[in-house]
């Protein structure tokens, strides 16, 4: 397989390349080096290729308007309450870019940086690397990140890794906005998600620390449901479900079917949580188009949000004696 590389733009004096991957089943994926964004993803259906992620045609709209369309988010994705945490006897103040809290690593997180890239054309793979220096966005330690995307058939695989020279929190997510249909919203997709519990949220979507059963709540998607209530009205989603710890990687944690049943998405991950978001807050106009409420759905496989402030959550602290590793596969066919 051949990976086509071409210039796509520039950011803060650095060239931003685009990487075009094509699989033997005809799936096409475009990646860009800014934020390791999956800019476009097209899957064969009857009559041609269907675009299944939201994104922009040109680069300039990304730094100007993107709500993390297709990017990686971190160092610490999701929210850190009050934009602070304690580690090894010290209090760290990180970038408070969300109403006094920290969201997705701060305003200058890894999803808004230009990464270096190395292509493996034989494997339809691109390996991106980035060094985040000590103190960036307030986080301790020098951290070297890598993110390798590989396209095989109808499956896009992401292997994330990070090595830190001192103890520091790390939680990186892929932030694709999917729409498997041809309509303006994703409310009538059918979602089956293997979350048995959810992390309760307080004000501004900051976890309270409680982990509650999904039964009887909107978060119970184990047998499949749309994102409408019994009266047909939209249901908003922006929260984290907890996944079974004894599952196999080969068991999908999410299965989503488009409203016309032409495409089904399966997501496989080794993380303990999954943020379900249906573009509740999206209101973006760029390139003559508008992306509004419920335009796409995100399935952000992750460690539990605000884990740095809840010691009973699985640890997100990594360092010289513990590297960060994270794998997620997404198959659409």
């Amino acid at each position: 397989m051949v990976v086509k590389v071409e210039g796509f733009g520039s950011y803060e004096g650095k060239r931003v390349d685009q990487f075009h991957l094509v699989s033997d089943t005809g799936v096409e994926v475009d990646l860009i080096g800014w934020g390791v964004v999956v800019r476009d993803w097209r899957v064969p259906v009857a009559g041609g290729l269907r675009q299944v992620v939201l994104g922009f045609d040109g680069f300039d709209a990304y730094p100007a308007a993107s709500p993390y369309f297709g990017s990686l988010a971190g160092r610490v994705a999701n929210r850190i309450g009050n934009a602070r945490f304690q580690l090894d006897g010290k209090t760290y103040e990180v970038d408070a870019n969300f109403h006094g809290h920290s969201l997705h690593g701060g305003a200058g997180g890894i999803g808004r940086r230009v990464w270096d890239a190395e292509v493996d054309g034989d494997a339809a793979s691109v390996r991106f690397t980035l060094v985040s220096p000590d103190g960036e966005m307030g986080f301790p330690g020098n951290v070297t990140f890598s993110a390798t995307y590989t396209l095989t058939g109808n499956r896009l695989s992401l292997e994330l890794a990070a090595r830190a020279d001192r103890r520091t929190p790390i939680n990186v997510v892929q932030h694709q906005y999917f729409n498997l249909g041809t309509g303006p919203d994703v409310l009538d997709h059918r979602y089956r998600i293997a979350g048995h519990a959810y992390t309760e949220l307080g004000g501004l979507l900051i976890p309270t620390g409680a982990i509650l059963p999904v039964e009887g709540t909107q978060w119970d998607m184990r047998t499949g449901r749309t994102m409408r209530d019994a009266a047909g009205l939209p249901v908003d989603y922006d929260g984290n479900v907890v996944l079974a710890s004894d599952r196999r990687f080969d068991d999908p944690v999410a299965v989503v079917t488009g409203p016309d049943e032409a495409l089904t998405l399966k997501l496989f991950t080794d993380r303990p949580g999954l943020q379900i978001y249906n573009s509740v807050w999206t209101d973006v106009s760029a390139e003559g188009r508008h992306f509004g409420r419920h335009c796409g759905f995100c399935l952000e496989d992750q460690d539990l949000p605000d884990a740095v402030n809840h010691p009973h959550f699985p640890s997100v602290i990594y360092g010289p004696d513990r590297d960060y590793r994270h794998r997620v596969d997404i198959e659409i066919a």
Side-chain angles (χ1 to χ4, degrees):
M1 301 181 188
V2 176
V3 178
K4 180 181 178 181
V5 183
E6 60 185 358
F8 190 67
S10 64
Y11 183 72
E12 297 181 342
K14 295 183 178 180
R15 173 186 167 110
V16 177
D17 282 330
Q18 176 169 269
F19 304 85
H20 179 68
L21 285 65
V22 182
S23 78
D24 55 5
T25 59
V27 175
E28 301 183 9
V29 173
D30 291 333
L31 310 167
I32 63 173
W34 184 85
V36 193
V37 164
V38 177
R39 190 192 68 81
D40 200 1
W41 186 341
R42 297 170 298 280
V43 180
V45 296
L49 293 174
R50 178 177 295 181
Q51 187 179 51
V52 296
V53 293
L54 307 184
F56 301 120
D57 294 330
F59 173 69
D60 290 346
Y62 280 96
S66 176
Y68 301 95
F69 275 163
S71 72
L72 297 182
R75 294 183 185 189
V76 178
N78 212 307
R79 291 152 181 85
I80 296 177
N82 299 310
R84 70 168 64 93
F85 61 90
Q86 289 190 338
L87 179 62
D88 298 334
K90 181 178 179 179
T91 298
Y92 290 91
E93 304 276 350
V94 295
D95 187 43
N97 62 325
F98 179 75
H99 306 289
H101 306 284
S102 181
L103 175 66
H104 290 332
I110 64 174
R112 297 185 63 84
R113 298 275 306 281
V114 179
W115 295 51
D116 294 327
E118 181 180 358
V119 172
D120 182 347
D122 293 335
S125 176
V126 185
R127 182 176 185 267
F128 299 90
T129 56
L130 175 74
V131 176
S132 178
D134 180 37
E136 188 167 55
M137 295 292 105
F139 291 98
N142 299 292
V143 182
T144 300
F145 291 94
S146 69
T148 303
Y149 268 114
T150 303
L151 179 63
T152 307
N154 289 68
R155 182 175 292 207
L156 185 64
S157 300
L158 171 61
E159 293 187 23
L160 291 160
R163 174 163 290 183
D165 65 0
R166 59 186 292 194
R167 281 162 50 83
T168 190
I170 300 173
N171 178 24
V172 181
V173 301
Q174 51 77 27
H175 210 293
Q176 322 304 332
Y177 284 68
F178 294 103
N179 186 334
L180 305 180
T182 58
D185 64 62
V186 294
L187 298 171
D188 296 309
H189 289 52
R190 189 154 192 88
Y191 303 82
R192 180 163 56 86
I193 296 174
H196 65 277
Y198 69 100
T199 47
E200 182 186 49
L201 298 175
L204 292 172
L205 305 178
I206 305 301
T208 66
I211 297 176
L212 304 176
V214 298
E215 189 169 357
T217 75
Q218 72 180 67
W219 303 104
D220 193 351
M221 309 175 88
R222 291 173 294 179
T223 60
R225 60 164 294 166
T226 68
M227 288 181 170
R228 296 185 186 274
D229 64 16
L233 299 175
V235 177
D236 294 338
Y237 281 88
D238 192 3
N240 173 76
V241 295
V242 180
L243 306 170
S245 60
D246 59 351
R247 72 186 189 278
R248 301 180 309 149
F249 182 85
D250 292 338
D251 296 328
V253 300
V255 179
V256 183
T257 301
D260 63 359
E261 300 185 348
L263 292 173
T264 294
L265 176 152
K266 296 180 181 179
L267 186 143
F268 310 80
T269 181
D270 58 11
R271 296 294 94 183
L274 188 71
Q275 185 84 5
I276 306 169
Y277 175 59
N278 64 356
S279 304
V280 178
W281 317 110
T282 305
D283 183 14
V284 175
S285 294
E287 300 181 334
R289 293 180 294 168
H290 180 71
F291 299 92
R293 193 178 184 92
H294 303 138
C295 60
F297 69 90
C298 302
L299 299 172
E300 304 160 51
D301 59 304
Q302 60 178 356
D303 288 280
L304 304 192
D306 200 26
V308 288
N309 290 312
H310 299 286
H312 58 292
F313 287 2
S315 176
V316 294
I317 304 302
Y318 297 86
D321 61 345
R322 185 187 182 211
D323 289 347
Y324 175 85
R325 296 194 178 279
H326 172 177
R327 178 185 170 191
V328 53
D329 289 5
I330 302 173
E331 181 177 288
I332 304 176

